[in-house]
Amino acid sequence: MAWKMLPSTVTEEEITEIEQGLPARLPSLFRAYLTTRFVLDMQIINPPYFFMLPELPADNPFQDIAFTLQAWNLLLITGYIPFAEYQDGWGPVCFDTKQQTVDGDYAIVWFDHEHLLHELDEGDYVSREKVESYAQTLFPSFRVFMTELFLR
């Protein structure tokens, strides 16, 4: 059976509802990703990078996003919004809302899941400085992330 991407029916109102629990609005280019097409198995492989963006199935488009936000919800306290996975489960890729660009985009950082799970206690997540020491900056913005990975 042939598979094709379907136009998304995700609305701005649905995205705004998700944003209620986030430390900031999602960048406009990521919002466009959510509202353009339903997609499955969205892997970006461009050595040395390998990212897994959230799947957006037609029957439950926010399933992956909700799972990622719940799994790494303590990062929200210090201004990080997890939205993807690095490699195959190496840890969350996040928008760093404290590193905002003039157009409302954010720097992209990665946290090694080993550090988050074994070196930080729940109480550590109230300290931006403590959590930030484990963040590895990957790209200055989501726009640069998408441009460099897809146009390389």
Side-chain angles (χ1 to χ4, degrees):
M1 175 180 278
W3 179 87
K4 65 178 181 174
M5 292 192 317
L6 299 173
S8 177
T9 58
V10 171
T11 66
E12 287 292 326
E13 292 76 24
E14 290 171 314
I15 295 171
T16 300
E17 189 175 314
I18 287 175
E19 290 174 332
Q20 298 301 316
L22 303 179
R25 288 179 48 94
L26 295 169
S28 60
L29 188 56
F30 188 70
R31 293 170 78 90
Y33 168 74
L34 297 174
T35 58
T36 303
R37 298 264 186 234
F38 290 120
V39 295
L40 300 175
D41 196 26
M42 189 58 176
Q43 297 180 3
I44 302 172
I45 303 171
N46 192 335
Y49 299 112
F50 174 5
F51 298 99
M52 296 174 64
L53 288 176
E55 290 188 352
L56 303 167
D59 63 339
N60 189 356
F62 296 116
Q63 175 180 316
D64 266 12
I65 294 168
F67 177 81
T68 300
L69 289 171
Q70 179 58 38
W72 303 108
N73 67 337
L74 292 174
L75 290 170
L76 298 171
I77 298 167
T78 51
Y80 298 100
I81 302 174
F83 71 92
E85 282 289 324
Y86 192 73
Q87 296 288 349
D88 190 12
W90 287 16
V93 176
C94 303
F95 297 117
D96 182 353
T97 65
K98 303 296 184 186
Q99 292 188 62
Q100 187 173 16
T101 64
V102 293
D103 64 351
D105 205 342
Y106 308 108
I108 304 301
V109 301
W110 166 61
F111 290 94
D112 184 320
H113 74 288
E114 293 291 333
H115 296 295
L116 296 179
L117 297 175
H118 302 296
E119 297 179 27
L120 290 171
D121 295 322
E122 191 170 330
D124 292 332
Y125 286 91
V126 297
S127 168
R128 166 75 185 195
E129 186 175 285
K130 180 86 171 181
V131 175
E132 186 177 43
S133 69
Y134 292 98
Q136 298 180 44
T137 301
L138 299 175
F139 297 94
S141 69
F142 187 66
R143 181 171 306 284
V144 171
F145 169 89
M146 295 297 278
T147 303
E148 287 193 13
L149 294 176
F150 282 105
L151 298 179
R152 246 188 198 183

